[in-house]
Amino acid sequence: MSISLTSIASIAASSVPHTFPQMRHKLDDLAADNACPLELLASVILSDPGASALVLSKAISAQHESKMVSTAVSRFGLSMVRGISLELQDIPGASRSLHAALWTQANACATMTRLLSKECHVVFEGAETPEQFHLIGLLHDLGSICAARHFTDGYIAAGKELQKKDGHTFGQCLRNQIGISNHDLGALICRSLRLPEIYMSCNRFHNRPEKATKYQNEVALIHIAKQLIVGCGFTVGGNSFIRDINEEAMARLHLHEEELMKVITAFFKSMDDISHFEGGLI
Amino acid sequence: MASTSSTPKQTSSPQTPVDKKKEQRILITQAQAGMLLARPILNASQVVICGAGMSLNEHIIHQLAIRGVKRIYVQGQPLPEPGQKPFGERLAELEQRFSRVHRSLLMRHLHQAIKDEMSKRS
């Protein structure tokens, strides 16, 4: 069932980031306490792709130059967090387990990206701090999050199609089902939220890093991080096959096999904290 | 995000040994009034701020959350476990995930490294 690109663009343009009700309640509780440390609020928001995307979008709309959630929260304070909590939409109960897997994968990618960035001996154009690497990992696949929310049946059908078709990517299967890949949909979401261009590049090209023309190092980093987390078991629905890691991406970041092995060990040690997104336990 | 060293934590080795089967590690957001702490909670200076056996109420849970406590050990098993799959099943899923690669040496080595890590942790 293909959907017209006009309809998809309209949904992407009007799509407000969503989250679990439990996350909204947690933000409400914390923001209601004037003694709540802003660092704690920022760390809660940074575990949630919907809330993080909305905070960044608000900060950019307010012409705040920071690309980090923590600095946006300290600049705008508790009132902004209350506003974010009101604006975030709730994930419907029926697709909550699917979203829990997507949230878990986003957090896994954020962790892997942060760990991997420490092993790269290159200068990154758009990301510098651990939080910035965390964010590009967390928000690398907003297209899948949007598709699972607004085109749930098509998203599930794409996973089933991928199981049957060797040689296809999930993006191709999703395009067959709804008319757009998760990569292009993610780029549309980034544009509608006015996120910095680095997020658009990472969303659009993380599956084919050789096509990126901007932020090529960050896109290569996300490409490798994504394959590694899929290999480690952080998959969603039928999108469950690791693909060959792009050799150009490895060369671009001066990464070798030894560094990947080191990062995998460190990643498994971090798994206790990200093995299951808390919202999925509701 | 992982806890930082400056945030309060629960001890990993309890002062009073507790049978592991009779405690559960849960997120602070999953804590409910009436649950009993299985292990004490220490602040960054290693001072006990909540002792083992303390009964939680909404005020205590909120205070722990704003002090950065992310996970606690409670007595019994009040929440269903997420359901760790048997090792054999996880291994079969690993083979499935790698079933469409194996063309390069790197991917074969990654496959083996992940398998080894899974074995170590099982």
Side-chain angles (χ1 to χ4, degrees):
Chain A
M1 180 197 64
S2 191
I3 298 157
S4 78
L5 280 178
T6 314
S7 304
I8 290 169
S10 165
I11 288 170
S14 60
S15 176
V16 175
H18 47 275
T19 191
F20 295 89
Q22 188 174 351
M23 174 58 75
R24 284 202 312 102
H25 297 154
K26 188 173 179 180
L27 289 176
D28 285 341
D29 287 347
L30 292 173
D33 184 344
N34 288 330
C36 177
L38 294 176
E39 300 81 21
L40 174 62
L41 264 174
S43 73
V44 170
I45 291 168
L46 280 165
S47 71
D48 187 295
S52 293
L54 193 54
V55 168
L56 284 180
S57 175
K58 293 285 172 200
I60 289 156
S61 296
Q63 298 187 326
H64 184 45
E65 287 178 5
S66 172
K67 295 173 187 166
M68 293 200 288
V69 165
S70 58
T71 44
V73 169
S74 26
R75 166 85 182 260
F76 297 108
L78 296 175
S79 58
M80 183 189 74
V81 178
R82 291 186 198 111
I84 294 290
S85 171
L86 284 174
E87 202 169 328
L88 283 167
Q89 292 184 348
D90 282 349
I91 295 165
S95 64
R96 220 163 269 173
S97 61
L98 178 60
H99 278 87
L102 283 164
W103 257 232
T104 303
Q105 189 183 61
N107 275 282
C109 192
T111 301
M112 185 65 89
T113 303
R114 211 173 54 233
L115 293 170
L116 204 51
S117 70
K118 293 181 195 165
E119 303 299 324
C120 300
H121 306 292
V122 295
V123 175
F124 288 92
E125 190 185 344
E128 191 179 347
T129 66
E131 184 183 319
Q132 287 169 337
F133 286 111
H134 176 95
L135 275 167
I136 58 171
L138 189 76
L139 305 179
H140 81 282
D141 198 6
L142 292 174
S144 285
I145 288 174
C146 177
R149 169 74 180 85
H150 296 288
F151 311 107
T152 312
D153 292 344
Y155 184 87
I156 292 168
K160 287 180 181 165
E161 185 183 328
L162 183 68
Q163 296 288 326
K164 293 176 194 158
K165 290 184 176 173
D166 194 356
H168 279 58
T169 65
F170 181 76
Q172 289 167 327
C173 296
L174 192 63
R175 187 182 291 115
N176 292 342
Q177 294 296 330
I178 68 170
I180 190 169
S181 70
N182 52 320
H183 310 108
D184 291 339
L185 185 55
L188 279 177
I189 300 287
C190 290
R191 185 176 300 158
S192 76
L193 291 173
R194 297 180 190 173
L195 297 183
E197 201 172 351
I198 185 173
Y199 295 99
M200 198 184 293
S201 289
C202 290
N203 269 271
R204 175 164 278 164
F205 297 116
H206 71 258
N207 209 36
R208 42 191 179 136
E210 70 283 358
K211 301 276 186 193
T213 54
K214 288 185 178 175
Y215 303 106
Q216 291 158 315
N217 287 349
E218 285 87 346
V219 172
L221 183 69
I222 296 294
H223 164 76
I224 298 169
K226 181 67 178 273
Q227 300 316 311
L228 292 180
I229 62 159
V230 169
C232 290
F234 288 87
T235 62
V236 183
N239 187 7
S240 55
F241 298 98
I242 183 171
R243 309 199 69 79
D244 283 304
I245 289 177
N246 186 299
E247 288 177 12
E248 279 179 38
M250 290 284 286
R252 168 173 284 283
L253 301 178
H254 301 291
L255 279 173
H256 306 93
E257 190 179 310
E258 309 86 75
E259 282 104 12
L260 298 195
M261 302 303 170
K262 185 176 160 190
V263 166
I264 284 173
T265 303
F267 178 75
F268 270 93
K269 283 182 185 165
S270 308
M271 276 180 70
D272 282 345
D273 281 340
I274 55 174
S275 57
H276 202 288
F277 186 74
E278 59 190 88
L281 296 172
I282 300 167
Chain B
M1 299 283 282
S3 302
T4 61
S5 57
S6 60
T7 54
K9 285 180 176 174
Q10 258 189 303
T11 51
S12 53
S13 52
Q15 288 170 344
T16 310
V18 177
D19 184 348
K20 281 188 175 179
K21 289 177 185 171
K22 292 182 180 172
E23 66 180 19
Q24 187 177 23
R25 186 172 182 244
I26 64 169
L27 291 158
I28 192 69
T29 50
Q30 296 170 312
Q32 291 166 8
M35 289 180 175
L36 299 174
L37 283 179
R39 300 188 190 186
I41 299 171
L42 312 181
N43 67 10
S45 309
Q46 301 298 301
V47 174
V48 175
I49 54 176
C50 285
M54 174 181 271
S55 175
L56 298 177
N57 60 36
E58 294 296 343
H59 177 71
I60 293 171
I61 293 167
H62 182 65
Q63 290 301 314
L64 291 174
I66 66 173
R67 281 166 177 74
V69 173
K70 295 189 174 173
R71 287 174 172 77
I72 57 173
Y73 286 88
V74 293
Q75 293 181 14
Q77 193 176 359
L79 298 176
E81 290 286 350
Q84 179 77 302
K85 291 175 183 170
F87 182 64
E89 196 176 326
R90 284 186 287 131
L91 212 52
E93 287 179 354
L94 174 71
E95 300 304 322
Q96 164 84 355
R97 291 199 296 277
F98 276 82
S99 62
R100 294 185 182 178
V101 289
H102 287 310
R103 284 188 285 277
S104 74
L105 196 59
L106 171 66
M107 300 310 287
R108 283 206 296 275
H109 288 173
L110 280 177
H111 183 181
Q112 189 58 48
I114 293 171
K115 200 172 183 175
D116 291 345
E117 282 294 334
M118 283 170 59
S119 302
K120 266 195 276 179
R121 291 171 61 85
S122 67

